Amino acid sequence: MPAAPRARPTDLFTPDEWAPFQTRRAWVGPLLVLHCWGVTALAVAAGIVWPLLIPLCVAIIGTRQLGLAILMHEAAHGGLSTNTRLNDFLGHWLCAVPIGASLTTYRPYHLSHHRFAQQAEDPDLVLSAPFPVSPASLRRKIIRDLTGQTFFKQRVLLPLAAARATPGSSSAKRDSPTTNDHDYEAIVTGRSIAPFLLVNLGLLIAAVVSGVWWAYFALWLLPMATWFPMVTRLRNIAEHACVEGSAEDPFRAARTTHAGWWERAFIAPYWVNFHAEHHLFMHVPCWRLPSLHKAVRGKPQGERMEVADGYLTVLRKAATKVG
């Protein structure tokens, strides 16, 4: 199996230039997890006090649910804490499990993606290979996300199919989550049902005890069933779709997308938009990616990187197929 082409730090930087990107801070990862839950709690409170804000709160909470997935991704690279046990505890129980994911399942899956990025063996290739699509096809995908159809398929139909199928059988292959266009979501959610249900039962009980039982459904489950799948799709499209030369050039293995404040608030939290830099040097902590972006772009090799000026630009490029 051919591994993806690699770049080495010494290809671009002197030891002194590279040293800052090797430094980790013990407190930053836990603070990011706290920030994610803090923003979520504030949005829930705002929706309870001012119900007219619920649509806005749904978008904010759905983006923070994506934020939990991003911080789980950071934990998969050991980036949430310099202490391995704390890193895995935060990444699994406070980030992965509440949104139905599993750090234990996700880590080997994701590291395989890095090893074979954009090669035939890349488990995430199914997410980018279909693009570009027609504008009508992209609209249908987004509508399925925002109406809860994607959520129902991933969180109900796929786990049921997996439970019914015998490993190795033809039905198992036919119903395998790897056949759908949200392979990442299906893999990390389909094997962690019990912890997900238990944590969400706890959240529901907390809402009932607080006298706002409806808040669990309107301000946690609804964002997870609508906005979260949609922004996850936008993230996946932006990261790898329609990047020419991505299988041959490590500087073009992924795309970086410039994000304004509203995109960071509603689409791309926690520097997830700096994906080209992450694929170049995957062990650099996420909060150092903006400075890594400037450093790489300041080198001649950095001019080869795919950089978009916003998510709308990426979506236009991803929806250029005729018919």
Side-chain angles (χ1 to χ4, degrees), residues 22-75:
Q22 294 181 293
T23 305
R24 295 180 180 272
R25 297 285 185 265
W27 53 271
V28 177
L31 189 62
L32 290 177
V33 176
L34 179 63
H35 176 272
C36 193
W37 280 107
V39 172
T40 300
L42 288 173
V44 169
I48 292 171
V49 176
W50 300 291
L52 285 175
L53 295 180
I54 286 178
L56 177 64
C57 294
V58 165
I60 292 172
I61 294 166
T63 305
R64 290 307 123 180
Q65 290 169 336
L66 173 60
L68 292 176
I70 292 165
L71 295 176
M72 174 192 69
H73 163 268
E74 188 71 9

Side-chain angles (χ1 to χ4, degrees), residues 45-160:
I48 292 171
V49 176
W50 300 291
L52 285 175
L53 295 180
I54 286 178
L56 177 64
C57 294
V58 165
I60 292 172
I61 294 166
T63 305
R64 290 307 123 180
Q65 290 169 336
L66 173 60
L68 292 176
I70 292 165
L71 295 176
M72 174 192 69
H73 163 268
E74 188 71 9
H77 290 284
L80 280 187
S81 175
T82 53
N83 181 289
T84 301
R85 288 186 178 181
L86 180 59
N87 175 83
D88 289 1
F89 175 82
L90 293 173
H92 183 68
W93 289 106
L94 295 187
C95 297
V97 169
I99 58 171
S102 166
L103 179 62
T104 304
T105 301
Y106 174 70
R107 178 178 278 141
Y109 171 91
H110 182 66
L111 294 181
S112 179
H113 163 62
H114 273 276
R115 181 181 179 187
F116 300 111
Q118 297 299 289
Q119 310 298 311
E121 295 80 10
D122 181 0
D124 269 357
L125 192 61
V126 67
L127 300 175
S128 59
F131 292 92
V133 297
S134 68
S137 175
L138 182 59
R139 281 195 300 271
R140 287 194 296 270
K141 293 177 188 297
I142 293 176
I143 289 171
R144 287 198 298 269
D145 295 338
L146 291 176
T147 56
Q149 296 176 65
T150 301
F151 175 86
F152 184 74
K153 179 179 180 181
Q154 292 170 354
R155 307 303 178 100
V156 179
L157 296 183
L158 288 170
L160 286 176

Side-chain angles (χ1 to χ4, degrees), residues 169-226:
S169 68
S170 59
S171 61
K173 295 176 182 177
R174 183 175 63 251
D175 296 328
S176 169
T178 60
T179 62
N180 88 99
D181 65 352
H182 268 267
D183 189 46
Y184 154 72
E185 282 293 313
I187 288 291
V188 300
T189 60
R191 302 178 187 176
S192 54
I193 300 171
F196 170 67
L197 293 178
L198 286 173
V199 167
N200 276 263
L201 177 61
L203 293 174
L204 176 57
I205 291 172
V208 171
V209 170
S210 300
V212 287
W213 62 268
W214 57 269
Y216 169 79
F217 298 96
L219 294 166
W220 179 258
L221 193 59
L222 181 61
M224 187 180 295
T226 58

